Amino acid sequence: FSVEMQPILHKVAGKNELGAFIGWHSAPENDPRRLTPYLAIRLDKTGGFFHVEGIYQTKPQKEGEGGVGGRISLGQLALTRPGPWHALRIRAVGKQVTITADDGDPLEFDLPKLRAQKQIFENLNPRGALGVWTNGDAMFRNAQIVALPAEK
């Protein structure tokens, strides 16, 4: 999965965040309190990074209640291109997830090791939903999804 993104900057803190996600799943009906982790990559244009985070949540037990959740920082990727547009590439093959920003060095995650190090990622499966997100104004272009065969 690859995409280029650009925030439309406003001077309002916490607005115009944008990024991509991979591995989102809803909790199974027979186990609604099960943690459903996924990976989120958030562009921080001002700081000069993509922040890579593990997000986890549960469904609320009752209608109208919030679920339980949180986030864990898994690393940062420096923005290496000048200008307003930044490229993000996410590759999930076999038991590896590789995330690259612009033309920089990738962050690589070995899923069995990540699951062993952080219990909340026990159910992490990058073969879930993927996409882009924003809570304000942003532009996305050149999005591509390519199905890769599993490694044997």
Side-chain angles (χ1 to χ4, degrees):
F1 171 66
S2 63
V3 66
E4 291 181 336
M5 58 186 72
Q6 172 185 347
I8 299 174
L9 298 176
H10 296 283
K11 296 187 181 198
V12 179
K15 295 292 181 190
N16 290 64
E17 294 180 325
L18 69 154
F21 63 90
I22 182 171
W24 183 88
H25 294 84
S26 59
E29 291 299 321
N30 64 346
D31 190 5
R33 300 304 287 171
R34 177 179 171 183
L35 287 177
T36 54
Y38 62 96
L39 300 178
I41 303 93
R42 179 175 47 88
L43 175 60
D44 178 356
K45 180 78 173 169
T46 305
F49 293 96
F50 275 104
H51 296 276
V52 180
E53 300 170 317
I55 310 290
Y56 57 96
Q57 59 192 21
T58 63
K59 282 186 178 178
Q61 286 188 316
K62 295 180 184 175
E63 188 72 29
E65 288 183 351
V68 175
R71 62 182 64 217
I72 293 176
S73 176
L74 297 174
Q76 295 179 331
L77 295 161
L79 303 179
T80 60
R81 290 185 186 168
W85 290 97
H86 294 283
L88 179 67
R89 288 177 302 286
I90 304 169
R91 182 181 172 101
V93 177
K95 297 177 182 176
Q96 292 285 127
V97 174
T98 304
I99 304 170
T100 308
D102 292 334
D103 302 311
D105 293 331
L107 267 181
E108 296 181 355
F109 298 99
D110 178 275
L111 294 177
K113 286 182 184 174
L114 182 61
R115 291 177 184 130
Q117 291 170 353
K118 301 199 184 296
Q119 184 75 25
I120 64 155
F121 292 120
E122 177 182 13
N123 299 316
L124 177 64
N125 181 353
R127 278 37 173 204
L130 62 88
V132 296
W133 61 271
T134 183
N135 70 354
D137 299 325
M139 293 188 287
F140 299 91
R141 70 180 186 188
N142 299 329
Q144 295 181 337
I145 300 172
V146 177
L148 300 173
E151 292 183 341
K152 295 181 181 181

